[in-house]
Amino acid sequence: MTVRVAIAGAGNVGRSIAQELIENGHQVMLIERQPRMLRPERVPQAEWILADACELASLEEADVASCDVVVAATGDDKVNLVVSLLAKTEFAVARVVARVNRAENEWLFTEQWGVDVAVSKPRVMAALVEEAVTVGDLVRLMTFRQGEANLVEITLPATAPYVGQPIRDVPLPRDAALVAILRGRRVLVPTPDDPLEAGDELIFVCTADMEDAVRQVVLGADSVERTRNGS
């Protein structure tokens, strides 16, 4: 599933998020107000716009309303809060991810300011963009032990082969463990008798070389090929 993402702030953090999302097949628009920071050659696959993301007219011109996700990634917490509020209240963007620069400001980054998720690390921000909108694919959320193991997420589509069946029937490969199920607002610790449901977010810990095997088991034998073909 291709997602359209607007990122306010084209500094190191914004560009890092943009590059990762583009590599995963998503459409990215970078909005930057400082001409010296406008460097399309750094992320040539992105759409670049010179504008102030705190101005309503700029966001309208950029057609932010058509975006699935807005990421407020500037180095200024005040700017990130304003961008988040405008994205949510004026353009009804479904998912707003905001960067927190100073820990003492974290309490401000709430739903009242239009923020769905507040986070500081670029890699986690990119993962949270995808986690919210990607159904039927594997999303890497976090890496452990210098890349030896990963925390990954799969949101089950209704067509997944083990929907309706208990976890004991899912033949997970070695070096892979299902550690949690997010179902609506609930966090479930999986037991062998728990049945899987469409829309479940399955959280696994697995080694990097087992990711494709986990995807094949949970989503079907052709899921890896479909992902690589962008379908």
PDB file of all heavy atoms in Angstrom, residues 182-201:
ATOM      1  N   LEU A 182      -1.948  -6.505  19.308  1.00  0.00           N
ATOM      2  CA  LEU A 182      -2.707  -5.283  19.551  1.00  0.00           C
ATOM      3  C   LEU A 182      -4.042  -5.432  18.846  1.00  0.00           C
ATOM      4  O   LEU A 182      -4.103  -5.570  17.623  1.00  0.00           O
ATOM      5  CB  LEU A 182      -1.950  -4.063  19.023  1.00  0.00           C
ATOM      6  CG  LEU A 182      -0.490  -3.914  19.471  1.00  0.00           C
ATOM      7  CD1 LEU A 182       0.087  -2.600  18.955  1.00  0.00           C
ATOM      8  CD2 LEU A 182      -0.377  -3.987  20.983  1.00  0.00           C
ATOM      9  N   ARG A 183      -5.114  -5.413  19.630  1.00  0.00           N
ATOM     10  CA  ARG A 183      -6.463  -5.606  19.083  1.00  0.00           C
ATOM     11  C   ARG A 183      -7.329  -4.469  19.581  1.00  0.00           C
ATOM     12  O   ARG A 183      -7.713  -4.413  20.742  1.00  0.00           O
ATOM     13  CB  ARG A 183      -7.020  -6.960  19.520  1.00  0.00           C
ATOM     14  CG  ARG A 183      -8.388  -7.294  18.945  1.00  0.00           C
ATOM     15  CD  ARG A 183      -8.778  -8.711  19.324  1.00  0.00           C
ATOM     16  NE  ARG A 183      -7.920  -9.702  18.680  1.00  0.00           N
ATOM     17  CZ  ARG A 183      -7.808 -10.966  19.089  1.00  0.00           C
ATOM     18  NH1 ARG A 183      -8.509 -11.383  20.138  1.00  0.00           N
ATOM     19  NH2 ARG A 183      -7.008 -11.804  18.453  1.00  0.00           N
ATOM     20  N   GLY A 184      -7.610  -3.524  18.673  1.00  0.00           N
ATOM     21  CA  GLY A 184      -8.310  -2.318  19.100  1.00  0.00           C
ATOM     22  C   GLY A 184      -7.457  -1.561  20.095  1.00  0.00           C
ATOM     23  O   GLY A 184      -6.299  -1.257  19.845  1.00  0.00           O
ATOM     24  N   ARG A 185      -8.005  -1.297  21.274  1.00  0.00           N
ATOM     25  CA  ARG A 185      -7.261  -0.602  22.323  1.00  0.00           C
ATOM     26  C   ARG A 185      -6.624  -1.571  23.321  1.00  0.00           C
ATOM     27  O   ARG A 185      -6.035  -1.155  24.309  1.00  0.00           O
ATOM     28  CB  ARG A 185      -8.182   0.378  23.063  1.00  0.00           C
ATOM     29  CG  ARG A 185      -8.676   1.524  22.193  1.00  0.00           C
ATOM     30  CD  ARG A 185      -9.509   2.510  22.995  1.00  0.00           C
ATOM     31  NE  ARG A 185      -9.895   3.651  22.201  1.00  0.00           N
ATOM     32  CZ  ARG A 185      -9.164   4.738  22.018  1.00  0.00           C
ATOM     33  NH1 ARG A 185      -7.982   4.814  22.579  1.00  0.00           N
ATOM     34  NH2 ARG A 185      -9.592   5.749  21.292  1.00  0.00           N
ATOM     35  N   ARG A 186      -6.729  -2.859  23.052  1.00  0.00           N
ATOM     36  CA  ARG A 186      -6.209  -3.858  23.983  1.00  0.00           C
ATOM     37  C   ARG A 186      -4.835  -4.353  23.543  1.00  0.00           C
ATOM     38  O   ARG A 186      -4.548  -4.463  22.350  1.00  0.00           O
ATOM     39  CB  ARG A 186      -7.169  -5.039  24.078  1.00  0.00           C
ATOM     40  CG  ARG A 186      -8.558  -4.673  24.579  1.00  0.00           C
ATOM     41  CD  ARG A 186      -9.475  -5.874  24.507  1.00  0.00           C
ATOM     42  NE  ARG A 186      -8.996  -6.966  25.359  1.00  0.00           N
ATOM     43  CZ  ARG A 186      -9.321  -8.241  25.162  1.00  0.00           C
ATOM     44  NH1 ARG A 186     -10.104  -8.583  24.145  1.00  0.00           N
ATOM     45  NH2 ARG A 186      -8.875  -9.173  25.981  1.00  0.00           N
ATOM     46  N   VAL A 187      -4.008  -4.673  24.527  1.00  0.00           N
ATOM     47  CA  VAL A 187      -2.731  -5.337  24.289  1.00  0.00           C
ATOM     48  C   VAL A 187      -2.828  -6.724  24.888  1.00  0.00           C
ATOM     49  O   VAL A 187      -3.013  -6.894  26.094  1.00  0.00           O
ATOM     50  CB  VAL A 187      -1.557  -4.563  24.927  1.00  0.00           C
ATOM     51  CG1 VAL A 187      -0.246  -5.311  24.695  1.00  0.00           C
ATOM     52  CG2 VAL A 187      -1.480  -3.151  24.369  1.00  0.00           C
ATOM     53  N   LEU A 188      -2.727  -7.751  24.040  1.00  0.00           N
ATOM     54  CA  LEU A 188      -2.894  -9.126  24.486  1.00  0.00           C
ATOM     55  C   LEU A 188      -1.547  -9.843  24.519  1.00  0.00           C
ATOM     56  O   LEU A 188      -0.748  -9.721  23.587  1.00  0.00           O
ATOM     57  CB  LEU A 188      -3.836  -9.880  23.540  1.00  0.00           C
ATOM     58  CG  LEU A 188      -5.203  -9.241  23.262  1.00  0.00           C
ATOM     59  CD1 LEU A 188      -5.969 -10.074  22.252  1.00  0.00           C
ATOM     60  CD2 LEU A 188      -5.997  -9.105  24.556  1.00  0.00           C
ATOM     61  N   VAL A 189      -1.317 -10.580  25.590  1.00  0.00           N
ATOM     62  CA  VAL A 189      -0.170 -11.489  25.640  1.00  0.00           C
ATOM     63  C   VAL A 189      -0.633 -12.796  25.022  1.00  0.00           C
ATOM     64  O   VAL A 189      -1.540 -13.453  25.550  1.00  0.00           O
ATOM     65  CB  VAL A 189       0.305 -11.704  27.088  1.00  0.00           C
ATOM     66  CG1 VAL A 189       1.458 -12.706  27.122  1.00  0.00           C
ATOM     67  CG2 VAL A 189       0.724 -10.385  27.708  1.00  0.00           C
ATOM     68  N   PRO A 190      -0.068 -13.178  23.890  1.00  0.00           N
ATOM     69  CA  PRO A 190      -0.617 -14.328  23.150  1.00  0.00           C
ATOM     70  C   PRO A 190      -0.433 -15.652  23.885  1.00  0.00           C
ATOM     71  O   PRO A 190       0.601 -15.911  24.501  1.00  0.00           O
ATOM     72  CB  PRO A 190       0.184 -14.320  21.839  1.00  0.00           C
ATOM     73  CG  PRO A 190       1.423 -13.545  22.141  1.00  0.00           C
ATOM     74  CD  PRO A 190       1.059 -12.550  23.187  1.00  0.00           C
ATOM     75  N   THR A 191      -1.467 -16.473  23.816  1.00  0.00           N
ATOM     76  CA  THR A 191      -1.411 -17.846  24.323  1.00  0.00           C
ATOM     77  C   THR A 191      -1.756 -18.780  23.163  1.00  0.00           C
ATOM     78  O   THR A 191      -2.369 -18.357  22.175  1.00  0.00           O
ATOM     79  CB  THR A 191      -2.401 -18.064  25.474  1.00  0.00           C
ATOM     80  OG1 THR A 191      -3.739 -18.003  24.947  1.00  0.00           O
ATOM     81  CG2 THR A 191      -2.236 -17.006  26.557  1.00  0.00           C
ATOM     82  N   PRO A 192      -1.403 -20.042  23.250  1.00  0.00           N
ATOM     83  CA  PRO A 192      -1.652 -20.961  22.127  1.00  0.00           C
ATOM     84  C   PRO A 192      -3.112 -21.055  21.709  1.00  0.00           C
ATOM     85  O   PRO A 192      -3.408 -21.340  20.542  1.00  0.00           O
ATOM     86  CB  PRO A 192      -1.145 -22.304  22.664  1.00  0.00           C
ATOM     87  CG  PRO A 192      -0.114 -21.942  23.676  1.00  0.00           C
ATOM     88  CD  PRO A 192      -0.626 -20.682  24.335  1.00  0.00           C
ATOM     89  N   ASP A 193      -4.048 -20.802  22.640  1.00  0.00           N
ATOM     90  CA  ASP A 193      -5.466 -20.961  22.322  1.00  0.00           C
ATOM     91  C   ASP A 193      -6.099 -19.716  21.700  1.00  0.00           C
ATOM     92  O   ASP A 193      -7.223 -19.784  21.207  1.00  0.00           O
ATOM     93  CB  ASP A 193      -6.247 -21.312  23.597  1.00  0.00           C
ATOM     94  CG  ASP A 193      -5.862 -22.679  24.134  1.00  0.00           C
ATOM     95  OD1 ASP A 193      -5.511 -23.547  23.315  1.00  0.00           O
ATOM     96  OD2 ASP A 193      -5.899 -22.862  25.363  1.00  0.00           O
ATOM     97  N   ASP A 194      -5.392 -18.584  21.734  1.00  0.00           N
ATOM     98  CA  ASP A 194      -5.976 -17.342  21.213  1.00  0.00           C
ATOM     99  C   ASP A 194      -6.146 -17.415  19.690  1.00  0.00           C
ATOM    100  O   ASP A 194      -5.180 -17.698  18.970  1.00  0.00           O
ATOM    101  CB  ASP A 194      -5.082 -16.145  21.547  1.00  0.00           C
ATOM    102  CG  ASP A 194      -5.100 -15.804  23.020  1.00  0.00           C
ATOM    103  OD1 ASP A 194      -6.128 -16.059  23.664  1.00  0.00           O
ATOM    104  OD2 ASP A 194      -4.087 -15.271  23.516  1.00  0.00           O
ATOM    105  N   PRO A 195      -7.351 -17.135  19.175  1.00  0.00           N
ATOM    106  CA  PRO A 195      -7.527 -17.094  17.724  1.00  0.00           C
ATOM    107  C   PRO A 195      -7.079 -15.738  17.169  1.00  0.00           C
ATOM    108  O   PRO A 195      -7.185 -14.713  17.838  1.00  0.00           O
ATOM    109  CB  PRO A 195      -9.035 -17.282  17.547  1.00  0.00           C
ATOM    110  CG  PRO A 195      -9.626 -16.722  18.809  1.00  0.00           C
ATOM    111  CD  PRO A 195      -8.624 -16.974  19.899  1.00  0.00           C
ATOM    112  N   LEU A 196      -6.577 -15.755  15.953  1.00  0.00           N
ATOM    113  CA  LEU A 196      -6.189 -14.517  15.285  1.00  0.00           C
ATOM    114  C   LEU A 196      -7.410 -13.902  14.605  1.00  0.00           C
ATOM    115  O   LEU A 196      -8.277 -14.624  14.103  1.00  0.00           O
ATOM    116  CB  LEU A 196      -5.098 -14.781  14.249  1.00  0.00           C
ATOM    117  CG  LEU A 196      -3.779 -15.324  14.795  1.00  0.00           C
ATOM    118  CD1 LEU A 196      -2.803 -15.607  13.656  1.00  0.00           C
ATOM    119  CD2 LEU A 196      -3.174 -14.335  15.790  1.00  0.00           C
ATOM    120  N   GLU A 197      -7.473 -12.571  14.588  1.00  0.00           N
ATOM    121  CA  GLU A 197      -8.590 -11.869  13.967  1.00  0.00           C
ATOM    122  C   GLU A 197      -8.077 -10.887  12.919  1.00  0.00           C
ATOM    123  O   GLU A 197      -6.971 -10.342  13.055  1.00  0.00           O
ATOM    124  CB  GLU A 197      -9.390 -11.096  15.023  1.00  0.00           C
ATOM    125  CG  GLU A 197     -10.039 -11.975  16.078  1.00  0.00           C
ATOM    126  CD  GLU A 197     -10.854 -11.165  17.070  1.00  0.00           C
ATOM    127  OE1 GLU A 197     -10.984  -9.927  16.878  1.00  0.00           O
ATOM    128  OE2 GLU A 197     -11.361 -11.762  18.036  1.00  0.00           O
ATOM    129  N   ALA A 198      -8.867 -10.657  11.881  1.00  0.00           N
ATOM    130  CA  ALA A 198      -8.522  -9.650  10.881  1.00  0.00           C
ATOM    131  C   ALA A 198      -8.371  -8.294  11.570  1.00  0.00           C
ATOM    132  O   ALA A 198      -9.185  -7.932  12.418  1.00  0.00           O
ATOM    133  CB  ALA A 198      -9.594  -9.584   9.801  1.00  0.00           C
ATOM    134  N   GLY A 199      -7.330  -7.568  11.220  1.00  0.00           N
ATOM    135  CA  GLY A 199      -7.062  -6.275  11.838  1.00  0.00           C
ATOM    136  C   GLY A 199      -6.129  -6.349  13.024  1.00  0.00           C
ATOM    137  O   GLY A 199      -5.663  -5.302  13.505  1.00  0.00           O
ATOM    138  N   ASP A 200      -5.847  -7.559  13.511  1.00  0.00           N
ATOM    139  CA  ASP A 200      -4.874  -7.702  14.599  1.00  0.00           C
ATOM    140  C   ASP A 200      -3.514  -7.162  14.156  1.00  0.00           C
ATOM    141  O   ASP A 200      -3.081  -7.398  13.019  1.00  0.00           O
ATOM    142  CB  ASP A 200      -4.698  -9.178  14.985  1.00  0.00           C
ATOM    143  CG  ASP A 200      -5.806  -9.689  15.891  1.00  0.00           C
ATOM    144  OD1 ASP A 200      -6.646  -8.879  16.313  1.00  0.00           O
ATOM    145  OD2 ASP A 200      -5.813 -10.902  16.175  1.00  0.00           O
ATOM    146  N   GLU A 201      -2.849  -6.468  15.071  1.00  0.00           N
ATOM    147  CA  GLU A 201      -1.462  -6.066  14.838  1.00  0.00           C
ATOM    148  C   GLU A 201      -0.579  -7.037  15.620  1.00  0.00           C
ATOM    149  O   GLU A 201      -0.588  -7.050  16.845  1.00  0.00           O
ATOM    150  CB  GLU A 201      -1.218  -4.631  15.294  1.00  0.00           C
ATOM    151  CG  GLU A 201      -2.019  -3.603  14.512  1.00  0.00           C
ATOM    152  CD  GLU A 201      -1.778  -2.187  15.001  1.00  0.00           C
ATOM    153  OE1 GLU A 201      -0.604  -1.820  15.215  1.00  0.00           O
ATOM    154  OE2 GLU A 201      -2.766  -1.461  15.188  1.00  0.00           O
TER     155      GLU A 201
END
